[in-house]
Amino acid sequence: LQGGVGHRQAFLRGAACGLKAWPIQRRRRRRLGPAALEQIFKLDQTAERMAAACRRVGARRVLFADWGKNMLAYYRAAQAAGVTVVGIADDQLAAAGVYYRGVPVLSHANAATLKYDAIIVSNLNPVQAPRRAAALARITARPVIDLFGGQDGILPAARARSPAELNAAAGR
């Protein structure tokens, strides 16, 4: 705003109008019903599918792959299934001291050193999630679960690899 000649007043007028209208807009808000919430966020489906997939592969400790917008649904699903989440592998968001509800967010190399039974792709995107699951299945010795990927969503494990091999295979 400092460099914009004459823009400061226009900004202030716009901000004032927005603040004036805000209480009116807030009163008109409609909440989504349970069916709409389920359709958008798939809370119940996530819980049901995670419990079934973890039972099928015998997973009691899991690693989430990717920290996404639906992380709460995946986290709650793990809790409901009695599964421990040991970490969230996400190279873009990993940093020392970053946690989600007490679960560390780690680089893939650091996550590879943890003890877990399966990897769960914590992403609902119908394009990204299957690609991520397939990439992870090629570089890990543990089952990879894509809860919303076709059939049962469980990809078989590849052979065990070192953290250096994992990084090279993932293009890091």
Side-chain angles (χ1 to χ4, degrees):
L1 290 179
Q2 292 175 345
V5 177
H7 293 288
R8 182 178 173 86
Q9 283 199 314
F11 168 78
L12 291 173
R13 276 195 310 269
C17 287
L19 288 173
K20 182 179 172 186
W22 187 49
I24 296 167
Q25 291 171 357
R26 286 188 58 187
R27 283 193 295 263
R28 289 187 202 155
R29 286 188 349 197
R30 293 184 297 176
R31 294 182 185 264
L32 293 174
L37 283 172
E38 179 61 27
Q39 185 177 357
I40 295 167
F41 297 108
K42 301 181 184 337
L43 302 170
D44 294 337
Q45 287 181 58
T46 302
E48 292 164 7
R49 291 175 184 213
M50 185 175 301
C54 287
R55 267 195 314 274
R56 257 180 276 149
V57 299
R60 299 178 57 99
R61 297 171 54 86
V62 299
L63 174 70
F64 285 160
D66 302 334
W67 186 0
K69 65 181 179 215
N70 223 29
M71 186 54 65
L72 180 61
Y74 281 83
Y75 178 81
R76 285 185 175 169
Q79 285 183 314
V83 174
T84 301
V85 180
V86 298
I88 301 167
D90 193 312
D91 285 335
Q92 276 79 38
L93 300 172
V98 176
Y99 290 83
Y100 177 79
R101 298 182 178 270
V103 177
V105 180
L106 306 162
S107 68
H108 283 78
N110 288 339
T113 66
L114 299 175
K115 292 182 181 184
Y116 54 91
D117 305 312
I119 298 172
I120 297 178
V121 178
S122 47
N123 186 337
L124 284 176
N125 185 301
V127 174
Q128 294 174 357
R131 287 181 186 164
R132 188 77 177 109
L136 288 167
R138 286 191 299 270
I139 62 172
T140 186
R142 296 173 183 102
V144 177
I145 301 169
D146 174 7
L147 296 178
F148 294 91
Q151 304 212 327
D152 68 0
I154 301 170
L155 284 74
R159 67 175 184 83
R161 295 187 182 184
S162 71
E165 286 180 296
L166 292 174
N167 283 334
R172 296 178 204 2

